[in-house]
Amino acid sequence: MEKRMTKRQIAAQETKKKIIEAARTVISEKSFETVSIDDIMAEAGLGKGTFYTHFGRKEDVVYELNKTDFYHLAEIVNGMEDKDIMEKLEYYCREFMKSIERSGIEICRQWIKNNLSGNTMCGIEDKDGNAISKYRYDYQAMHSVLSEAVRRGQLIADTPVDALSLLFNAELYGLMTAWCMSDGAAVGSENIKAFRIYILEQSIRPFMTK
Amino acid sequence: MEKRMTKRQIAAQETKKKIIEAARTVISEKSFETVSIDDIMAEAGLGKGTFYTHFGRKEDVVYELNKTDFYHLAEIVNGMEDKDIMEKLEYYCREFMKSIERSGIEICRQWIKNNLSGNTMCGIEDKDGNAISKYRYDYQAMHSVLSEAVRRGQLIADTPVDALSLLFNAELYGLMTAWCMSDGAAVGSENIKAFRIYILEQSIRPFMTK
Amino acid sequence: MEKRMTKRQIAAQETKKKIIEAARTVISEKSFETVSIDDIMAEAGLGKGTFYTHFGRKEDVVYELNKTDFYHLAEIVNGMEDKDIMEKLEYYCREFMKSIERSGIEICRQWIKNNLSGNTMCGIEDKDGNAISKYRYDYQAMHSVLSEAVRRGQLIADTPVDALSLLFNAELYGLMTAWCMSDGAAVGSENIKAFRIYILEQSIRPFMTK
Amino acid sequence: MEKRMTKRQIAAQETKKKIIEAARTVISEKSFETVSIDDIMAEAGLGKGTFYTHFGRKEDVVYELNKTDFYHLAEIVNGMEDKDIMEKLEYYCREFMKSIERSGIEICRQWIKNNLSGNTMCGIEDKDGNAISKYRYDYQAMHSVLSEAVRRGQLIADTPVDALSLLFNAELYGLMTAWCMSDGAAVGSENIKAFRIYILEQSIRPFMTK
DNA sequence: GATGAATGAGCGTTCATTCAT
DNA sequence: GATGAATGAACGCTCATTCAT
């Protein structure tokens, strides 16, 4: 259907994309509330009025904002046939922290600020087609890793998957927050090693089948 | 030093308190960005201009907001002669979460936002008289609880106090963040029980002297 | 001259008419100031830009707006060979009010608002080919009824036609305005009877030839 | 009560007046819709924001605009002990038109537009304390003049006061409307003379006691 | 110290108008 | 001739901040 687009429609779609990317940039640097349409459109190099050619209200751009690809870490981890649960969990946690650190401490701060309110949707839908928040997404990702391990017999059936998912995910969020609050001193990915040794291994061992 | 205050100064202090409490109320109901000085002062029953007698800028009231609620949890915990380390830790964590929840989810969000930058000082000084951030303060508080346990022989000398302090504190920060991001669904204080059973006990046991 | 139009020109003329009718519709519902080009062209089912193919500026459409057929009440009345002047006047006034009431109170309000400014032309030209306002048109209509009566000898030559035309027409305008302002309570057409008995007859009698 | 105003309150009241007068000026020159807050406040020599210190919305200034000019004409007329009914009526009508013309044609247009809907109250209450529309007020004023004349024996008891009040008042409204629609050509107050001679005298004479 | 009127920069939004297609 | 995306000036309105009282 995109094939039948006229040149003008393609150009318009391009313009819309430009606005979305500009919005992503400036909202990362500041925040939705403190960013103005002027800021977005100046970044996009377009006239202020053009925003309203593509969006009805300021808020509407946010919905589009996160419609981009998430790093499907959970899928990757669950696809690791030959690894045991400890390795999987450590890999997941390490990559989670790395991907955060890659984006830089300032973007991370913005990300936390923007997601602190639960009604900020991440652009991904759950199995029932409902929009979910990034927190919910991350919780479900961790949950799927543990559930998968139960399903594969790596963890016993009685493993408190809900509680552990929440706790492990919270630890990641906490390390991320600590990283920001310590101005980078408490490097998240470096603490993953300690997390594995002192927490992950101790907490998981009671539920391992072998 | 407060003894030598004139009546006028006392009245002014009273006014300032009134403003802080009004700010807490309205910011709890809305959010810092969407609340106006008008809103705060109307709630306080005071004139708009009075705000600027006590605060330089709108943001400054937030600083005071958090200052009020400080709780010398570590001191209380360290003063518990008859408790073992597990009880102390659980008590510390539970009270930490409770005090956060008491202030309300919106204040908590504000608090996180304001402290995400490491140069936000919490108004408390360390032993050397230097201003420290809340994150630093909380880390040191957790650290002092564990150190004290080592000193008293409740934990072995080789206990990785630094790493555990960071990890445990991060868990608390993560639960706090999860609380905000889930719009209150992931109640922090309720998860403290799971934290104790699945994480604290498993992580601490290897270092307990008996 | 319209005979030599190409198909394209005919289609364009059709488009222009469509715009004018759409403008009439939406301006009746709202008002010129509050109606946008978007509103007009959406009603017309045409693209926004097309407006400027046919009109230089927004205001230009108003000129065309009323270039449609008026109810030539005056001509009808003047064609009544067998009626006396009182009957003619009452007929004119009654039909005038009826035609207004037929369009509904809201349209009437819009009509007044739109014509309150004297530069709103009604689309009709006077004998010298000048565009005239609806007020001017109505005044001239009333004037022609009275003049005709003078010409036919129904009224004396010294009848103050100008003054009476203005006064009688003003009464009609006043009843119309009163109808709107009283939310329909002061029904115009019902008051025409009183107008005839208490005003028309008394005012005209001194000038009747018999 | 105005005596107990502080200097600041007086200054504020002065500012409000300045805004109202500036609004009157610029609205007279343009029209309410085409005049901006900027225009008004530039004319007033005040900051734009100050408008909102005194008025909630742009429209609110119009309410004050009309409020200022009210004229208890009926009371004055009814207090004229020594005048006959014709003189009273003419005086009433003439002053009515004059007071309208004093405010300017654009204000008059605004006034008509604003009162075209019957639920616009004029800020005056009737004898029972109910808010009434300007149309109702004017009708009652005319009614009281005629009733008073009946009461004093200047008019016979059978005088159709209701009908005449409505008709005379409508004539005034019609002259007012004609004034606006003719861009000031049909000067209301000048037509009052004709109104007296050709309409008032003829209509009233049958009901005069002598 | 308390006040609230005054302020102007800035907001989100509208819309007449232009112009490449 | 018809189109609709792009534009920017202008709008009504908000609000943190100032300051004379």
Side-chain angles (χ1 to χ4, degrees), chain B residues 8 15 47 49-50 53-54:
Chain B
R8 217 185 186 200
T15 301
T50 308
T53 306
H54 300 280

Side-chain angles (χ1 to χ4, degrees), chain B residues 86-143:
Chain B
M86 269 311 303
E87 282 178 295
K88 284 182 184 177
L89 278 174
E90 189 188 357
Y91 181 86
Y92 179 92
C93 293
R94 187 175 303 282
E95 290 306 312
F96 181 95
M97 287 308 301
K98 272 192 197 164
S99 81
I100 284 162
E101 287 171 6
R102 257 196 303 272
S103 61
I105 201 163
E106 201 52 59
I107 297 292
C108 181
R109 281 178 181 133
Q110 277 312 314
W111 183 89
I112 293 173
K113 284 183 188 178
N114 292 144
N115 286 279
L116 233 28
S117 181
N119 51 34
T120 308
M121 295 302 112
C122 70
I124 289 183
E125 298 175 346
D126 66 9
K127 291 163 187 177
D128 303 332
N130 300 314
I132 55 171
S133 67
K134 184 60 168 47
Y135 170 71
R136 189 85 204 140
Y137 174 80
D138 285 334
Y139 169 78
Q140 287 180 358
M142 181 68 83
H143 200 279

Side-chain angles (χ1 to χ4, degrees), chain D residues 69-137:
Chain D
D69 228 18
F70 257 105
Y71 208 129
H72 294 277
L73 253 180
E75 286 174 25
I76 293 170
V77 168
N78 287 328
M80 295 172 166
E81 297 285 335
D82 54 337
K83 304 289 184 189
D84 66 29
I85 181 64
M86 269 312 302
E87 283 178 293
K88 284 183 183 177
L89 277 174
E90 190 189 357
Y91 180 86
Y92 179 93
C93 294
R94 187 176 303 281
E95 290 304 312
F96 181 95
M97 287 309 299
K98 272 192 198 165
S99 81
I100 283 161
E101 287 170 6
R102 257 196 302 273
S103 61
I105 202 163
E106 199 54 56
I107 296 292
C108 181
R109 282 181 180 129
Q110 275 314 310
W111 183 89
I112 293 174
K113 284 183 189 178
N114 291 145
N115 287 278
L116 233 25
S117 180
N119 51 33
T120 309
M121 295 302 113
C122 69
I124 289 182
E125 297 176 346
D126 66 9
K127 292 163 188 177
D128 303 332
N130 300 314
I132 55 172
S133 68
K134 185 57 170 48
Y135 170 72
R136 190 87 203 137
Y137 175 80

Side-chain angles (χ1 to χ4, degrees), chain C residues 23-35:
Chain C
R24 188 193 313 287
T25 303
V26 293
I27 291 179
S28 295
E29 287 161 2
K30 295 169 139 201
S31 85
F32 177 72
E33 280 94 349
T34 59
V35 152

Side-chain angles (χ1 to χ4, degrees), chain D residues 19-50:
Chain D
I19 297 172
I20 292 168
E21 287 319 306
R24 190 192 308 285
T25 303
V26 293
I27 291 178
S28 296
E29 287 160 3
K30 296 169 133 202
S31 84
F32 178 72
E33 280 94 349
T34 59
V35 152
S36 69
I37 304 287
D38 264 333
D39 292 336
I40 296 170
M41 300 311 281
E43 172 73 25
L46 293 164
K48 193 180 184 179
T50 307

